Amino acid sequence: MKNFIATAILLAATPVFAVSWKVYGPCSEKPVHEGKVPMKKFDTSVGAFSVQVFEDNKIPYIGSEEGFNSIIGTPTDRGSIEIVSKDELRAYGWCYSVNGQFPEQMPNEVFFTENNAELVWFYAYSTVKNNQWQEDYCTPAYNIKATQFCGKK
């Protein structure tokens, strides 16, 4: 009985953290996947955590802890470029946020720092107009629902 009580006290004293996660595709403001994962401590990078979540939930991806070219079967290479006009295109890819912040580092370089963290992966675009990148870096693709990903509007 003493061992049981000691174990219960130890477990109660061990902090348990959790990370809520969501994945948004190109066509809807509702996540296509989401969940919450308990963690004993925050010593895992966003990239390593993401790979584990994708594998545990059978979410298809192309990439690694350092970054992702595709999640949920999104196109890569030329398939991820939208020609808007002769002077404008949109380049699509995956962006992420942690607790509403958009780190400039690769996901393997970012670690969770607080309890009840929220990780969001979202398919996004950046625009090139007249050979100049615009200031819309990592704009969620579901804001415009491009025909090549979502069909006719």
Side-chain angles (χ1 to χ4, degrees):
M1 185 67 169
K2 288 181 184 178
N3 286 344
F4 173 76
I5 293 172
T7 302
I9 291 171
L10 181 61
L11 288 175
T14 302
V16 177
F17 303 103
V19 176
S20 297
W21 58 271
K22 295 178 182 179
V23 176
Y24 290 86
C27 304
S28 177
E29 290 111 23
K30 293 182 181 179
V32 293
H33 295 283
E34 63 184 307
K36 190 170 192 172
V37 176
M39 297 172 66
K40 292 201 187 264
K41 57 184 175 175
F42 289 126
D43 63 351
T44 303
S45 71
V46 166
F49 176 84
S50 298
V51 166
Q52 192 63 53
V53 163
F54 298 158
E55 290 181 359
D56 289 350
N57 292 279
K58 298 180 177 25
I59 299 170
Y61 70 93
I62 298 171
S64 67
E65 296 177 14
E66 289 81 24
F68 300 94
N69 294 336
S70 177
I71 305 172
I72 63 169
T74 54
T76 59
D77 300 322
R78 291 184 180 158
S80 63
I81 303 291
E82 176 191 14
I83 305 298
V84 178
S85 71
K86 69 179 187 82
D87 298 321
E88 182 178 353
L89 65 81
R90 292 187 189 110
Y92 289 84
W94 285 91
C95 295
Y96 72 100
S97 68
V98 176
N99 298 330
Q101 302 296 311
F102 302 91
E104 292 183 14
Q105 299 91 350
M106 299 306 287
N108 64 311
E109 299 172 333
V110 176
F111 293 81
F112 301 102
T113 58
E114 57 188 76
N115 191 14
N116 295 320
E118 181 181 52
L119 170 63
V120 175
W121 281 100
F122 58 99
Y123 200 55
Y125 67 87
S126 298
T127 304
V128 176
K129 202 179 240 182
N130 297 316
N131 295 320
Q132 296 290 318
W133 287 101
Q134 303 301 296
E135 294 183 18
D136 61 353
Y137 178 75
C138 275
T139 300
Y142 58 71
N143 286 352
I144 58 172
K145 298 176 179 68
T147 304
Q148 75 188 64
F149 309 114
C150 307
K152 297 202 179 222
K153 296 179 187 179

